[in-house]
Every structure is written in structure tokens, then in C-alpha cells.
Amino acid sequence: MNRELHDSLFELYIEGGLELMTLGTLGLKRELVIDLETSALTPEKGEIIRYRAVNRWDEDDEFDEWAKPSRPLSAEAERILGITNEQLDRCRSSAIVFDEFMGFVAGLVEKF
């Protein structure tokens, strides 16, 4: 990383850190980190089976749910994801989880 970029990032960190110190963090800053897991290595062949979002400033503000895929995972996908088809069989359908996930995201956006 070049020195100029490093210094710029450090300045942003300091400004943000000072702002948070004076304002507090819970409920004042919203940065949603989204993590999606798919059932295959390529989007064309897979579907989203894990929906996760967390506000990085408030860990209690989180959505994390696995969804049942329309087709069973391959043995390789089970190994990579660390979840089995038996576990996913107990999950709700992707359509239901997706709707709730989008509601969660929209709720965060509407608050601020």
C-alpha cells in the first residue's frame, strides 16, 4: 500500500473513531455488512442458501438464516460450506427467508 493511501485511510479511521467516541455507536451509525452463501460455485448453477446481514456498529442488529435449497447440495458443496443437506432440510424455503431478509434490510434503511 502506498504511503498516501495509507495516510488517507488512517485519517478516515481517526475522524470516524473520534466521531463515534463523542456520539456513541449504538443506533447512530449504520453500515450493513451482507454475507450470502450459495449452493454452487457459480451463480448460474446455484441459489442463495444463507442470508446474513449485520450492522457493524450494533451487533444486536443482525439477520442470519440458512434456507432450504430446491436441490440437494453436492458432497463438495457440503464440505466447503460446512453444512449438510440434513441440516438444510430443517430450514425454511428460500422464498420465505428472502422476503424476511429484504424486510430486515429495508427496515434498517428506513430507520435512517
Side-chain angles (χ1 to χ4, degrees), residues 12-31 55-58:
L12 286 172
Y13 168 77
I14 293 298
E15 286 179 30
L18 292 175
E19 178 186 347
L20 290 175
M21 189 171 74
T22 59
L23 296 175
T25 58
L26 296 179
L28 295 175
K29 283 253 184 200
R30 292 282 190 203
E31 289 183 24
N55 176 357
R56 77 178 202 125
W57 301 107
D58 181 0

Side-chain angles (χ1 to χ4, degrees), residues 55-73:
N55 176 357
R56 77 178 202 125
W57 301 107
D58 181 0
E59 292 177 359
D60 293 330
D61 218 358
E62 179 181 26
F63 184 100
D64 188 3
E65 188 170 345
W66 289 87
K68 183 177 180 177
S70 59
R71 295 188 308 256
L73 299 179

Side-chain angles (χ1 to χ4, degrees), residues 4 7 14 17 22 29 32 35 42 49-50 54 63 65 81 96 112:
E4 185 177 319
D7 292 347
I14 293 298
T22 59
K29 283 253 184 200
L32 195 59
D35 176 27
T42 61
I49 58 171
R50 184 182 185 196
V54 63
F63 184 100
E65 188 170 345
L81 294 169
I96 293 170
F112 299 92

